[in-house]
Amino acid sequence: MRVLIAEDDLTSRIALAGVLRKNGYEVVETVNGSEAWKALQQPDAPRLVILDWEMPEIDGLEVLRRIRSLHPDQPFYIILLTSKEDKADVIIGLDAGANDYLVKPFNAGELRARVEVGRRMVEMQDALIDTNNKLAYLATHDPLTGMLNRRAILDHLHKELARVGRQNTALAVGMCDIDHFKHINDTYGHQTGDEILCGLAQIFKAEIREYDSAGRIGGEEFLLITPVPTGTDCMPLFERLCQQVAGNQIVTKSGELSISLSIGVACTVSGGTVDELLEAADKALYQAKSEGRNRVAQHGEFLPEGVLQCVS
Ligand SMILES: [Mg+2]
């Protein structure tokens, strides 16, 4: 683990670094507060920090206060190094955000032991952050396909709708449904059905752009959200997706299978709610199904130049 030392006194700095290196730590040395502050703002800054209190330019206490105002995702563990033994000073240091303090001249064994406490804290925090990230992923992703789940894609739609409302631009949603999916499950079994869903998720991933988002909202139903700059046509994305799905076979344990998608598209400028938008997309999906499937149908009128008129 890396430790950052901020200490202006050369003798003390050499002694600190020596003890730490002897105990297997990688040491980043800084010689004053401003150098330390600069290093700590880097994205890969060491998380374990030993700060001398009295330093030129910016003192340790001020560096400490600045660090605590950063609120990084992964917090620092900071040991304040001080020649002040007065309890009132110790309290000031801890109140400013230090996790621990060490009085100079320090004892090598005590330094090692206190840094070890910090290392354990940082490792525990990392494990906790890792667990939280995994839980957040599980809460927002469909376990089968890895796509956003229903809750996450609808949350995203709420946010996107609020954003286009503020910016007075448009948003299109496509309700996508695999044609005759029940027939696939009945004929080849649910495992093959699952492979089809995963294969379709790969096609979605390949076709959508970074500003589009897609999620699985039900069994064989997917929602695709795309921002539509004013005056542009949102239909080509959906048409292309439809063609890609129909034109590519999906490899399954039952062999290579062809599927098709029906997509109902609705578009809103502003003022519409999520429910209204989804209802309009559902109506368009119903229309795509009733017109023969493997196609895109839109809710709304086409303008003469081919642009889908958004529903306001
Ligand atoms: Mg000093």
Side-chain angles (χ1 to χ4, degrees), residues 86-127:
D86 193 329
K87 286 290 172 215
D89 288 325
V90 169
I91 291 167
I92 291 171
L94 293 173
D95 276 347
N99 296 91
D100 198 1
Y101 69 96
L102 201 57
V103 178
K104 288 201 276 191
F106 61 85
N107 170 283
E110 188 183 0
L111 169 69
R112 181 202 55 75
R114 290 191 186 270
V115 171
E116 278 295 297
V117 172
R119 182 184 61 76
R120 287 199 295 273
M121 283 297 289
V122 168
E123 283 172 354
M124 259 159 54
Q125 276 164 349
D126 283 349

Side-chain angles (χ1 to χ4, degrees), residues 20-190:
L20 293 172
R21 288 200 177 102
K22 198 178 141 203
N23 285 283
Y25 291 93
E26 194 184 320
V27 180
V28 177
E29 295 181 40
T30 59
V31 299
N32 58 48
S34 45
E35 210 176 88
W37 172 233
K38 204 170 160 189
L40 290 168
Q41 290 175 87
Q42 302 306 311
D44 62 342
R47 306 263 305 287
L48 252 176
V49 183
I50 300 176
L51 272 184
D52 183 28
W53 185 318
E54 283 162 27
M55 287 187 291
E57 300 194 30
I58 309 173
D59 70 16
L61 212 57
E62 177 57 23
V63 176
L64 197 50
R65 290 195 181 107
R66 290 188 188 184
I67 293 171
R68 291 310 184 204
S69 70
L70 285 178
H71 300 298
D73 295 337
Q74 296 168 301
F76 296 99
Y77 187 93
I78 303 162
I79 300 171
L80 196 60
L81 198 56
T82 173
S83 47
K84 299 168 189 271
E85 276 183 273
D86 193 329
K87 286 290 172 215
D89 288 325
V90 169
I91 291 167
I92 291 171
L94 293 173
D95 276 347
N99 296 91
D100 198 1
Y101 69 96
L102 201 57
V103 178
K104 288 201 276 191
F106 61 85
N107 170 283
E110 188 183 0
L111 169 69
R112 181 202 55 75
R114 290 191 186 270
V115 171
E116 278 295 297
V117 172
R119 182 184 61 76
R120 287 199 295 273
M121 283 297 289
V122 168
E123 283 172 354
M124 259 159 54
Q125 276 164 349
D126 283 349
L128 196 63
I129 289 165
D130 192 43
T131 305
N132 281 345
N133 287 343
K134 281 181 185 147
L135 287 175
Y137 182 88
L138 288 175
T140 51
H141 287 76
D142 171 42
L144 177 66
T145 61
M147 293 178 83
L148 291 178
N149 63 19
R150 181 186 178 86
R151 183 170 56 185
I153 191 72
L154 291 182
D155 272 356
H156 184 70
L157 180 55
H158 275 280
K159 285 182 192 138
E160 278 293 278
L161 210 54
R163 186 184 61 78
V164 298
R166 284 195 306 275
Q167 296 174 356
N168 206 24
T169 56
L171 192 69
V173 298
M175 193 71 83
C176 314
D177 189 90
I178 303 175
D179 296 327
H180 302 300
F181 187 66
K182 187 179 179 304
H183 177 71
I184 294 169
N185 276 329
D186 291 347
T187 310
Y188 303 103
H190 284 91

Side-chain angles (χ1 to χ4, degrees), residues 242-253:
C242 206
Q243 285 159 10
Q244 283 298 322
V245 171
N248 282 288
Q249 296 213 308
I250 294 174
V251 179
T252 72
K253 287 208 173 74

